[in-house]
């Protein structure tokens, strides 16, 4: 029995996840009631990821900064620049796609329990108060902005602590990382449960009426993932970007697609960065930061769905205005990041900038929840995999002895 367990544990995680997806679809089609019952496996997996992610981010960021050698180059400025460029390009592609293939919606009165922010001022106010949140409450509620703020502050002050204190921080960080590895090994079972329940519950009929909207969203995200991001990485590294792109999509995007949470996928990204042999001082900060502010997928969702409402109402908007106003909303998306469906809450804010009535914009949000099984999954996969992609690109560009090929080979 132990030999079987060891063999499973040492097998290809990606292959096991693919088998879990196939098994989930088969069970949902053959026995829908049984498929719904195995949802508990998916919920346990997501819950475990969400439970370990906050404490992992807190200890690994604090430990990384505390043990950082003076004068060490962590490439954070370069990574943040890549995040901003990536988000801008995502908004640009979304605007262009929305004008090339205009989408109109058949809106119906549908209630949603979510309360969107009333304006950019409220979003910024929320962000400020998240930064100064009580650290215990930030950990308990999964407030990653507050967690990052406390971890960075403590990390800088612990730089002046004794070596014994720094060693304890390192040991705690290593211990939590081992727990994360254990949780990740259960990904195939968790994804099996999530896929089985999703297919059995929603089927494919509910998505048929929104096929055009879904295609515009998916094509936009595909262009970013397979064309724009590789070009950005090539400019940064001057190397063939596609081995790294596909490694990040496979190692990060698959689990993110099914957990639908950038925050829950942080441990997965940390593990992938380690396998890519990236600088720990860099990715321990850039990955949690990316899960909060690197919102290319959210920029696409907010822009496409807002312009769908604009086209539905027959409002004339030129491309520069559409890009400017959509960027304002997408940048604000960090206030609702890290949770499933977070970007949808920014649609009313973006719609208000175009003069779209709130009752209409909330119907667009409702449509977003209907297609969320695809839209939010693809958005999270793009966001999360891009966090690793840009972190790796900056690290490879700054380290002459590293290449895309060597990093991806190490991660295989």
């Amino acid at each position: 029995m132990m030999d079987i367990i060891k063999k499973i544990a040492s097998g290809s995680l990606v292959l096991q996840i693919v088998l879990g997806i196939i098994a989930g679809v088969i069970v949902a089609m053959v026995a829908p009631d049984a498929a719904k019952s195995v949802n508990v496996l998916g919920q346990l997996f997501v819950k475990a990821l969400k439970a370990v992610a906050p404490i992992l981010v807190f200890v690994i960021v604090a430990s990384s900064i505390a043990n950082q050698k003076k004068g060490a180059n962590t490439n954070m400025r370069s990574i943040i620049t890549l995040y901003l460029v990536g988000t801008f390009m995502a908004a640009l592609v979304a605007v262009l796609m929305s004008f090339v293939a205009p989408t109109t919606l058949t809106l119906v009165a549908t209630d949603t329990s979510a309360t969107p922010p009333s304006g950019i001022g409220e979003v910024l106010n929320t962000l400020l108060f998240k930064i100064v949140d009580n650290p215990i409450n930030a950990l308990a509620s999964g407030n990653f902005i507050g967690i990052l703020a406390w971890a960075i502050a403590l990390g800088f002050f612990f730089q002046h602590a004794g070596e014994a204190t720094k060693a304890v921080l390192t040991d705690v960080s290593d211990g939590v990382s081992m727990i994360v590895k254990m949780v990740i090994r259960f990904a195939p079972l968790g994804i099996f449960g999530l896929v089985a329940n999703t297919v059995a519950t929603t089927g494919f009929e509910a998505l048929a009426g929104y096929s055009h909207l879904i295609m515009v969203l998916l094509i936009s995200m595909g262009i970013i993932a397979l064309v724009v991001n590789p070009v950005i990485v090539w400019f940064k590294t001057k190397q063939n970007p596609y081995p790294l792109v596909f490694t990040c999509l496979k190692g990060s995007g698959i689990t993110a697609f099914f957990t639908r949470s950038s925050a829950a996928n942080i441990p997965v990204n940390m593990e992938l960065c380690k396998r890519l042999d990236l600088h720990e001082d860099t990715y321990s900060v850039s990955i949690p930061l990316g899960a909060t502010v690197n919102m290319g997928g959210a920029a696409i969702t907010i822009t496409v769905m807002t312009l769908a409402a604009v086209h539905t109402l027959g409002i004339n908007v030129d491309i520069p205005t559409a890009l400017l106003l959509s960027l304002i909303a997408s940048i604000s998306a960090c206030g609702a990041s890290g949770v499933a469906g977070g970007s949808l809450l920014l649609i009313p804010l973006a719609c208000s900038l175009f003069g779209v009535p709130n009752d209409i914009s909330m119907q667009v949000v409702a449509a977003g929840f209907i297609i969320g099984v695809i839209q939010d999954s693809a958005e999270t996969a793009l966001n999360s995999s891009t966090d690793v992609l840009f972190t790796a690109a900056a690290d490879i560009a700054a380290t002459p002895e590293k290449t895309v090929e060597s990093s991806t080979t190490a991660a295989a």
Side-chain angles (χ1 to χ4, degrees):
M1 186 66 173
M2 289 301 298
D3 291 338
I4 296 176
I5 294 176
K6 288 180 180 179
K7 189 173 182 180
I8 293 174
S10 61
S12 170
L13 182 61
V14 173
L15 178 59
Q16 292 173 13
I17 289 174
V18 172
L19 293 175
I21 295 170
I22 296 172
V25 173
I26 293 174
V27 170
M29 295 177 68
V30 174
D33 291 336
K36 293 177 182 178
S37 65
V38 299
N39 183 46
V40 64
L41 296 174
Q43 295 302 316
L44 282 172
F45 173 63
V46 174
K47 187 75 173 177
L49 278 178
K50 289 183 177 179
V52 75
I55 188 66
L56 172 70
V57 170
F58 183 77
V59 298
I60 202 169
V61 170
S63 173
S64 177
I65 294 176
N67 287 281
Q68 193 176 102
K69 295 178 175 60
K70 291 184 178 180
N73 182 16
T74 59
N75 306 313
M76 282 307 301
R77 180 178 299 177
S78 177
I79 294 171
I80 292 173
T81 300
L82 291 176
Y83 284 167
L84 294 176
V85 171
T87 301
F88 173 83
M89 293 304 298
L92 175 61
V93 168
V95 168
L96 294 177
M97 281 298 301
S98 294
F99 279 87
V100 170
T103 302
T104 56
L105 303 173
T106 301
L107 301 176
V108 293
T110 307
D111 184 39
T112 59
S113 58
T115 302
S118 59
I120 294 177
E122 182 180 340
V123 173
L124 296 177
N125 185 68
T126 300
L127 285 175
L128 288 174
F129 277 93
K130 281 185 176 182
I131 292 173
V132 297
D133 192 9
N134 179 287
I136 304 300
N137 183 66
L139 287 168
S141 62
N143 170 15
F144 284 92
I145 295 175
I147 292 169
L148 273 174
W150 278 97
I152 291 171
L154 285 174
F156 277 119
F157 284 111
F158 275 132
Q159 285 184 339
H160 305 288
E163 293 302 318
T165 301
K166 294 179 181 179
V168 169
L169 284 173
T170 301
D171 290 340
V172 172
S173 176
D174 291 342
V176 176
S177 296
M178 291 300 294
I179 295 175
V180 170
K181 291 180 181 179
M182 183 177 66
V183 171
I184 291 173
R185 288 308 313 181
F186 286 94
L189 283 176
I191 290 175
F192 162 72
L194 290 170
V195 171
N197 178 69
T198 299
V199 175
T201 302
T202 64
F204 301 100
E205 295 83 1
L207 303 175
Y210 296 96
S211 57
H212 186 271
L213 174 61
I214 292 172
M215 288 305 299
V216 172
L217 286 167
L218 292 182
I219 291 173
S220 298
M221 294 179 189
I223 291 173
I224 292 298
L226 300 176
V227 179
V228 176
N229 282 352
V231 170
I232 293 174
V233 172
W234 181 84
F235 270 108
K236 188 66 180 176
T237 64
K238 298 299 187 292
Q239 300 176 42
N240 178 14
Y242 282 100
L244 185 60
V245 169
F246 291 131
T247 297
C248 293
L249 287 173
K250 181 177 71 172
S252 172
I254 291 177
T255 53
F257 185 91
F258 293 102
T259 60
R260 294 171 61 187
S261 171
S262 296
N265 212 51
I266 287 174
V268 178
N269 282 355
M270 293 281 201
E271 176 64 22
L272 178 57
C273 286
K274 186 173 183 179
R275 289 192 284 115
L276 287 168
D277 194 28
L278 305 183
H279 200 292
E280 186 173 352
D281 287 347
T282 299
Y283 72 74
S284 61
V285 178
S286 68
I287 294 302
L289 181 65
T292 307
V293 303
N294 183 32
M295 304 300 291
I300 290 172
T301 296
I302 295 168
T303 301
V304 169
M305 298 198 69
T306 299
L307 291 177
V310 170
H311 291 139
T312 299
L313 297 179
I315 300 173
N316 292 321
V317 179
D318 56 44
I319 291 181
T321 303
L323 177 61
L324 175 62
L325 298 180
S326 297
L327 269 177
I328 292 173
S330 62
I331 292 172
S332 301
C334 59
S337 64
V339 296
S343 62
L344 296 178
L345 298 181
L346 274 296
I347 291 174
L349 170 59
C351 284
S352 68
L353 299 175
F354 291 93
V356 176
N358 192 58
D359 60 334
I360 299 296
S361 63
M362 288 308 294
Q363 291 182 49
V364 177
V365 173
F369 281 110
I370 292 173
I371 66 171
V373 65
I374 293 180
Q375 167 270 319
D376 196 35
S377 298
E379 174 188 318
T380 307
L382 175 61
N383 286 341
S384 192
S385 61
T386 303
D387 295 344
V388 182
L389 179 66
F390 286 165
T391 297
D395 187 78
I396 291 171
T399 311
E401 62 270 18
K402 286 185 180 179
T403 64
V404 169
E405 184 178 355
S406 65
S407 294
T408 53
T409 300

